[in-house]
Amino acid sequence: MNAKLQWLRNKMASLDLQGLIITNPINIQYLTNIKAEGVLLLTRKENIYITDSRYIEEVHSILTLFDEIIVYDIHDVSKDDYENFFLFCENVGFEEYDISYAKYKEYIRKYKIHNFVETEQIIEKQRMIKDVEEISNLEKASEITDNCFKYILSYIKPGMTEKQIADEIEEYYKQRTDGLAFETIVASR
């Protein structure tokens, strides 16, 4: 099992959680590298990812046997399957900042959960602690950003529009990264 999922399972044990429903896509990506829509369930014995059939192939291309995650097409999961995922689980955690009250009630009913427990952002708190790879990625991103700033200073000329500059910044990043993290904003006076 990957180290992040193993850490989470250990944390669940210390909090007396026998199951966990993870719905926040950022947390799912942090734990599994999966970017596709879906829900991650940590049950007593298994890690389960439920997604739409459109994403099954993509999810399988990301996961390895080492991840120990079983992938289900949401259309193939029966009412009995949902009720059995957390069978014999006294306490099941959920991300209280990510689901609505309606979804909360739906999950209790659909999964037959006895005690649905707030997780108090345990994954978000762990995400704040960066591992060696994450630190390396942050350093690379900072270097690319510094170089972009130096480049754009030499590119800017009087009379250019903010849009022209933003387009050039975006092109700079597209050539050197996997894409933009957010929309480019350029402001001047």
Side-chain angles (χ1 to χ4, degrees):
M1 183 176 316
N2 80 41
K4 291 176 181 172
L5 281 175
Q6 188 58 58
W7 165 83
L8 184 54
R9 284 199 165 274
N10 293 340
K11 186 69 173 177
M12 287 169 56
S14 73
L15 297 172
D16 193 30
L17 294 176
Q18 295 78 43
L20 180 60
I21 299 175
I22 304 165
T23 52
N24 182 319
I26 295 168
N27 288 342
I28 292 170
Q29 184 178 350
Y30 170 77
L31 295 166
T32 66
N33 292 322
I34 296 171
K35 296 179 185 177
E37 292 178 26
V39 176
L40 180 64
L41 309 178
L42 303 187
T43 69
R44 287 181 91 81
K45 297 180 181 180
E46 300 172 320
N47 305 314
I48 298 166
Y49 191 71
I50 302 173
T51 190
D52 187 289
S53 59
R54 295 171 295 167
Y55 305 111
I56 296 284
E57 190 175 317
E58 177 185 344
V59 170
H60 281 298
S61 73
I62 293 166
L63 297 177
T64 67
L65 289 176
F66 179 70
D67 290 309
E68 297 181 28
I69 297 174
I70 300 166
V71 180
Y72 284 92
D73 181 335
I74 194 166
H75 303 294
D76 295 336
V77 182
S78 71
K79 182 178 184 246
D80 289 339
D81 290 332
Y82 280 113
E83 292 176 1
N84 289 326
F85 285 137
F86 296 111
L87 194 63
F88 306 116
C89 291
E90 182 62 32
N91 300 310
V92 175
F94 73 97
E95 296 172 298
E96 67 273 19
Y97 290 97
D98 195 60
I99 66 171
S100 66
Y101 183 63
K103 189 61 82 173
Y104 170 88
K105 291 189 325 185
E106 175 191 329
Y107 283 172
I108 288 174
R109 186 178 59 257
K110 182 164 55 174
Y111 292 105
K112 298 291 185 210
I113 295 172
H114 301 291
N115 191 22
F116 215 16
V117 181
E118 296 175 0
T119 58
E120 299 177 6
Q121 296 189 301
I122 58 175
I123 301 169
E124 289 84 353
K125 290 174 185 173
Q126 182 64 20
R127 283 183 17 220
M128 290 181 203
I129 303 168
K130 304 302 180 198
D131 62 24
V132 173
E133 182 181 354
E134 290 169 316
I135 291 170
S136 174
N137 289 339
L138 288 169
E139 289 170 344
K140 287 177 192 172
S142 294
E143 182 180 345
I144 292 169
T145 300
D146 289 345
N147 292 337
C148 180
F149 183 71
K150 290 174 191 169
Y151 166 75
I152 210 68
L153 286 177
S154 68
Y155 173 80
I156 296 174
K157 305 285 185 260
M160 294 183 97
T161 66
E162 292 169 349
K163 173 134 178 48
Q164 288 173 309
I165 297 167
D167 289 345
E168 189 66 20
I169 291 170
E170 288 180 10
E171 187 59 36
Y172 184 93
Y173 279 109
K174 287 176 183 175
Q175 291 177 8
R176 291 160 181 84
T177 66
D178 293 335
L180 302 173
F182 47 85
E183 186 179 340
T184 304
I185 299 170
V186 174
S188 63
R189 59 180 181 121

